[in-house]
Amino acid sequence: MTILKKCLFAAAILLQALMASAEGDKPLTQGALYRGAVQPGSDVYYRDKKVPVTAAGHFVLGFGRDAELEQTYTVVAPDGKKTQTTLTLEAREYPVQRIEGVAKKYMAPSEAHLKRVRHENSLVKKAREVDSDFRAFLDGFIWPLVGPVTGVYGSQRVFNGEPRRPHFGVDVAAPTGTPVKAPADGRVVLYHPDMYFSGGTMIIDHGYGVTSSFLHLSKSLVKEGDFVHQGQPVAEVGATGRVTGAHLDWRLNWYHVRLDPQLVVPPMEKVQSAPAAK
């Protein structure tokens, strides 16, 4: 390994440690975003697929809500040497959230509505498959909205007494029109003003398969293709789609793997109690 590559590798390892410290040394659990570092020029394979790696040797993996607790990835160094790394995830227990007052049209959509939903799902799927070389995921995330957390990742949803799919985001309550900020730099790859279930919907690409989705928006402040910066207002809270009140549903993905946004930001109570910036 050349001196330059050794320095880059050492810097990558240091950055990985700093990122863990910035996130409060949260345990690696189901729903986590994992950021790793390898020798520059190495290849990384996860589940028999090649994972994109930055020039400096950074890569990212995502583990879903019910991911197996033992995860393994393989690194092939520039000299061809293979090594395997096994990660042990902590199991999680998810609460049950009961929500009443959901409109009947969302409980039993018509065939016409289901056709619309399938089309909208295809738009979301395409947006989450964007494979850019942005490296914003390395710079950390901030809360896009500060307020009461009214729904958490992984919770089993029961609408009007009927069990439905788990929730895959974090809900933050706020009045309609409250600004929503970009949690990290990225490019807006989708904005739809009125999806059937999610209402006003925006997806921001942070690079290497990492995306943020904002649901139930009342308004977009940017357009598709715009590059946005962390902390920049990009939309406004709404009560569109399947909701019982105004709030933001923030979701985090690694490609199509649904992750827990609360694992990449400080606890909400710490943000709420922090002194306001001058």
Side-chain angles (χ1 to χ4, degrees):
M1 192 188 305
T2 65
I3 294 177
L4 177 59
K5 285 186 175 180
K6 287 181 178 179
C7 291
L8 288 172
F9 185 41
I13 295 297
L14 176 60
L15 180 58
Q16 186 178 12
L18 289 173
M19 287 189 298
S21 176
E23 293 174 11
D25 296 320
K26 294 179 180 178
L28 190 60
T29 70
Q30 294 168 319
L33 178 72
Y34 173 80
R35 287 171 284 194
V38 294
Q39 178 185 344
S42 299
D43 292 325
V44 176
Y45 294 87
Y46 173 68
R47 295 187 178 275
D48 298 323
K49 291 185 178 181
K50 192 174 181 180
V51 175
V53 180
T54 72
H58 302 118
F59 69 96
V60 63
L61 303 175
F63 307 118
R65 176 187 187 273
D66 302 304
E68 295 178 1
L69 299 185
E70 187 172 285
Q71 299 285 337
T72 302
Y73 64 87
T74 301
V75 178
V76 181
D79 62 5
K81 182 180 179 180
K82 292 185 179 181
T83 57
Q84 276 197 338
T85 297
T86 298
L87 304 172
T88 301
L89 311 184
E90 289 191 9
R92 296 177 63 174
E93 293 185 2
Y94 301 101
V96 175
Q97 185 177 26
R98 301 180 186 277
I99 301 174
E100 300 296 329
V102 178
K104 290 182 179 179
K105 69 176 184 177
Y106 296 119
M107 297 298 295
S110 67
E111 183 53 42
H113 285 150
L114 290 175
K115 182 178 180 180
R116 172 184 167 185
V117 169
R118 286 191 288 270
H119 171 66
E120 292 168 354
N121 286 346
S122 71
L123 298 178
V124 171
K125 181 176 184 292
K126 181 179 179 181
R128 287 176 175 162
E129 288 174 347
V130 171
D131 205 356
S132 74
D133 59 0
F134 299 147
R135 292 174 291 175
F137 68 90
L138 292 171
D139 299 326
F141 292 79
I142 63 172
W143 280 95
L145 178 67
V146 176
V149 173
T150 56
V152 297
Y153 171 90
S155 59
Q156 175 64 56
R157 286 287 178 86
V158 179
F159 292 146
N160 298 349
E162 297 182 17
R164 295 300 172 103
R165 296 179 63 192
H167 185 45
F168 289 106
V170 55
D171 292 337
V172 183
T176 294
T178 305
V180 175
K181 299 178 180 180
D185 289 359
R187 191 177 302 283
V188 179
V189 291
L190 175 70
Y191 177 68
H192 192 298
D194 186 27
M195 289 192 171
Y196 187 72
F197 284 118
S198 57
T201 302
M202 178 181 291
I203 298 180
I204 299 175
D205 166 35
H206 302 300
Y208 288 75
V210 181
T211 59
S212 281
S213 299
F214 300 142
L215 282 56
H216 311 304
L217 303 173
S218 62
K219 181 180 179 181
S220 173
L221 303 178
V222 293
K223 61 183 184 298
E224 286 186 16
D226 284 355
F227 189 86
V228 298
H229 297 281
Q230 185 180 67
Q232 175 184 339
V234 295
E236 294 180 359
V237 171
T240 56
R242 185 178 61 188
V243 298
T244 56
H247 72 281
L248 173 70
D249 181 349
W250 173 31
R251 303 192 175 198
L252 189 69
N253 272 59
W254 179 60
Y255 298 107
H256 297 298
V257 180
R258 302 168 188 268
L259 310 175
D260 186 351
Q262 291 195 87
L263 295 178
V264 300
V265 287
M268 179 65 82
E269 56 269 23
K270 287 189 177 182
V271 177
Q272 291 174 316
S273 63
K278 294 183 180 180

